[in-house]
Structures are given as C-alpha cells and as structure tokens.
Amino acid sequence: MMMNDHHWISRPQAAYDNSIEEIAMIDVSAIFLAWLERTRLPLRVADIDPNQVSFSIEGWDCLRCSLNHRGIEIYAVRGGECWDIIWDSDISLQEFDNGWGCGLCIDAWQQGLYPKPASYASPEAVWTEHTLEPFRDWLEKLAASAGIAFIDYDGATEARLVQEGERIPQLKVEIFKKSL
C-alpha cells in the first residue's frame, strides 16, 4: 500500500508486526543498492547500514530521503524544517500464496478494500515491484516537474510537485527547482 500526494490510508498495526528476527533476515539496504546499481538513477547514498539507507536525489537539495524495512520516505525541507512528506511508500513483507507479498496490501484485500495483491517469489521481488519501481516512476515525475511548491496555509504546510503551467494557491508559496 502506498501513500503519496496526500492520500492517507489506514495502516493496521497487525500488518507491521514482523518480529525483529524476521526483519533482520532481509537486508533492505542490499536490495536497494543492487536495484540502484541496475537502474542508474540520480541518487546519492549518504549513509548505509543493514536496516536503513539515507540518500539524496541529485539536484534536489530540499529533499531528504530514507529507506528502511518499512519503506521509503521523501521529506520536503525548507529552511531546515520539514514541511511535508512528499512521497511515502509503505511495505510489510509477509508470506502469501506460496510466495511473498506486502502485508498491508494483503490486509486491505482481506478487508475488501483492494483487489487481491500479487504474490512474489522472494522478498527482493516484493521490494522491487511494490516499492522500488513505483519510486522510480515518482522520480520520473519529479524530473519532469516544474519544481516543488512549498505552500503555507496559515500555519499548515504542504509540499508537492508542480507541473509547468499548473496553478497553485497563492498562500505564501515558494517553488524550488532542480539545482545544477
């Protein structure tokens, strides 16, 4: 299940209840780094350990990025302050249909909220198809965007991708563009 562009999805705690031993068996950092090597995306790894990777997106100094066993989060930062999570992809590995799937998606399917999710041969395949490839799609949208709008609605803040010619609210707006 994914949350981005302000579509909030209820996340049942049961879907996150993997044991520490199960989580430690899957090196999400290695999965991410292998995928990054294959894709050659404009990402710069800053810090790595088996359970988390901090990275940046080339040219987007206003974004702070991290990956851990629960997914990927991209924070939009202005003046040293987090304004919004601009992209977030949650994942919870679970054995499913003689393979692997995302426990959050499986839970939503069991509640009748979404169609039956795919089952994959390995945790690496779940990560790649469920989380990393949608992240690549978002990076393509970022690259094609006119920038990131930082909007202040009288104290409530929002950051979002802006397309060329798109109208945005006029409430204390600043648009950050890719820096070279």
Side-chain angles (χ1 to χ4, degrees):
M1 242 190 269
M2 191 176 344
M3 170 198 71
N4 65 26
D5 297 333
H6 306 287
H7 297 282
W8 296 91
I9 298 171
S10 171
R11 293 176 185 86
Q13 184 59 39
Y16 282 131
D17 285 341
N18 291 341
S19 72
I20 297 300
E21 294 79 23
E22 291 172 319
I23 292 167
M25 291 173 42
I26 300 163
D27 185 346
V28 298
S29 298
I31 294 169
F32 176 70
L33 295 172
W35 174 79
L36 187 57
E37 181 68 27
R38 291 189 307 272
T39 60
R40 303 266 185 218
L41 292 169
L43 305 178
R44 295 274 183 235
V45 174
D47 189 38
I48 306 170
D49 72 47
N51 298 312
Q52 182 166 325
V53 177
S54 297
F55 61 97
S56 61
I57 302 169
E58 287 179 18
W60 295 97
D61 297 336
C62 62
L63 299 178
R64 304 291 179 271
C65 315
S66 68
L67 168 141
N68 64 39
H69 70 277
R70 290 189 179 186
I72 299 174
E73 291 181 336
I74 310 297
Y75 295 89
V77 177
R78 181 174 177 248
E81 180 181 337
C82 178
W83 272 53
D84 205 353
I85 297 176
I86 195 166
W87 197 84
D88 181 26
S89 178
D90 293 330
I91 186 169
S92 174
L93 293 175
Q94 181 177 326
E95 289 188 83
F96 176 64
D97 278 357
N98 297 318
W100 290 86
C102 173
L104 300 167
C105 296
I106 294 165
D107 186 65
W109 164 65
Q110 290 171 337
Q111 292 181 36
L113 301 172
Y114 287 101
K116 185 175 182 179
S119 177
Y120 300 93
S122 67
E124 292 82 2
V126 178
W127 261 94
T128 299
E129 294 303 315
H130 182 278
T131 302
L132 298 173
E133 289 304 318
F135 179 54
R136 180 205 315 247
D137 293 343
W138 184 82
L139 287 169
E140 289 173 7
K141 289 178 188 173
L142 175 65
S145 74
I148 298 171
F150 286 79
I151 307 166
D152 184 342
Y153 297 96
D154 242 357
T157 59
E158 174 189 13
R160 63 180 166 106
L161 297 182
V162 178
Q163 301 307 315
E164 206 60 53
E166 181 181 349
R167 294 180 57 135
I168 54 175
Q170 296 300 313
L171 301 170
K172 300 179 187 171
V173 175
E174 181 174 5
I175 298 179
F176 286 35
K177 297 183 181 208
K178 182 177 182 182
S179 60
L180 301 176

